[in-house]
Amino acid sequence: MARKTKAEAAATRDSILDAAEKLFAEQGVSRTTLQHIASEAGVTRGAIYWHFLDKGALLQAMMNRAKMPLEEALLLLDTNEGGDPMQDLREYVMTVLRVTASDPKARRVFEIVTLKMEFVADAVVMRAGRREKQLIWMQRVETRLKQAKSLGSVRQDLDPVAVANGMWIIMDGLIRNWLFDTDAYDLVGLGGAVVDTYLLGLRNC
């Protein structure tokens, strides 16, 4: 049998990732086996092992392939230095909400990571990665809040750690509840109103 070309190998890899993404979203990570994925993709288990060490590596590749809302927003936050720190924070959260609402692939992978990934061995690396991103986000938010305090645009009694945690909880809660029922509310519209209300409470009156 002739060896596959690079293009054919890449197409097989993508079909495996597509199948895994579909099944993870439908039945969760722990209930989806590599054989399920192979059958859905129309390949053998050997083909999966040719491209991925295990299910954990497949999960990581699925995440790397999608435009994840948190990573997009962190990039934005890192490039907007020197502006209004509070406006930067608002735009950061709104970027997460917009990407989640508008990009079907990002939304599905985000849903898998937040709602369909049980506490199983295959997901340990993924959960650790998400926690790491959360900590990076917290540091960025705390830095912006300290800048805002030095400019006198927010109350001096604010605890940056508590405020950053509050923003994370608001954003995460908005997305999680919306993913349960995407018709329940306009994620971007309601999200913007909620974030504005929260940020207004931090301002100097």
Side-chain angles (χ1 to χ4, degrees), residues 163-191:
V163 173
N165 271 299
M167 289 189 68
W168 176 268
I169 291 166
I170 287 171
M171 182 176 66
D172 192 56
L174 280 165
I175 294 172
R176 283 176 181 268
N177 282 283
W178 182 77
L179 287 173
F180 278 120
D181 181 5
T182 56
D183 294 323
Y185 52 83
D186 177 350
L187 179 61
V188 176
L190 179 63

Side-chain angles (χ1 to χ4, degrees), residues 55-168:
K55 191 160 67 172
L58 200 160
L59 276 163
Q60 186 65 59
M62 181 191 70
M63 287 280 290
N64 292 341
R65 190 176 66 155
K67 181 172 73 172
M68 296 303 291
L70 197 58
E71 281 78 357
E72 289 290 305
L74 280 172
L75 180 62
L76 174 71
L77 203 58
D78 285 344
T79 55
N80 284 353
E81 293 285 351
D84 178 352
M86 298 305 289
Q87 184 60 34
D88 286 350
L89 290 180
R90 183 189 191 279
E91 186 54 32
Y92 164 76
V93 177
M94 295 311 296
T95 296
V96 174
L97 300 182
R98 282 194 293 268
V99 173
T100 303
S102 64
D103 188 323
K105 181 173 286 293
R107 179 167 64 250
R108 184 157 67 172
V109 174
F110 196 73
E111 180 179 2
I112 291 167
V113 172
T114 57
L115 301 178
K116 302 295 181 68
M117 189 175 292
E118 304 85 341
F119 287 95
V120 294
D122 293 315
V124 168
V125 174
M126 300 303 302
R127 287 189 177 276
R130 186 170 186 270
R131 177 58 178 163
E132 180 183 358
K133 291 293 190 304
Q134 180 182 350
L135 291 175
I136 293 171
W137 179 83
M138 294 284 291
Q139 292 167 359
R140 300 294 193 279
V141 173
E142 290 169 30
T143 297
R144 287 297 197 279
L145 285 166
K146 290 174 183 177
Q147 291 171 352
K149 287 179 74 170
S150 69
L151 293 171
S153 55
V154 296
R155 303 196 327 261
Q156 293 301 306
D157 63 335
L158 293 177
D159 177 0
V161 176
V163 173
N165 271 299
M167 289 189 68
W168 176 268

Side-chain angles (χ1 to χ4, degrees), residues 5-53:
T5 66
K6 287 185 177 180
E8 290 171 334
T12 298
R13 184 177 188 276
D14 279 339
S15 70
I16 293 169
L17 287 171
D18 288 342
E21 189 178 303
K22 175 178 181 292
L23 293 175
F24 289 155
E26 290 176 353
Q27 57 195 39
V29 173
S30 66
R31 294 180 61 191
T32 301
T33 67
L34 291 181
Q35 185 57 58
H36 292 152
I37 296 169
S39 298
E40 179 70 26
V43 300
T44 64
R45 284 187 61 183
I48 294 181
Y49 283 119
W50 175 262
H51 292 280
F52 307 102
L53 178 64

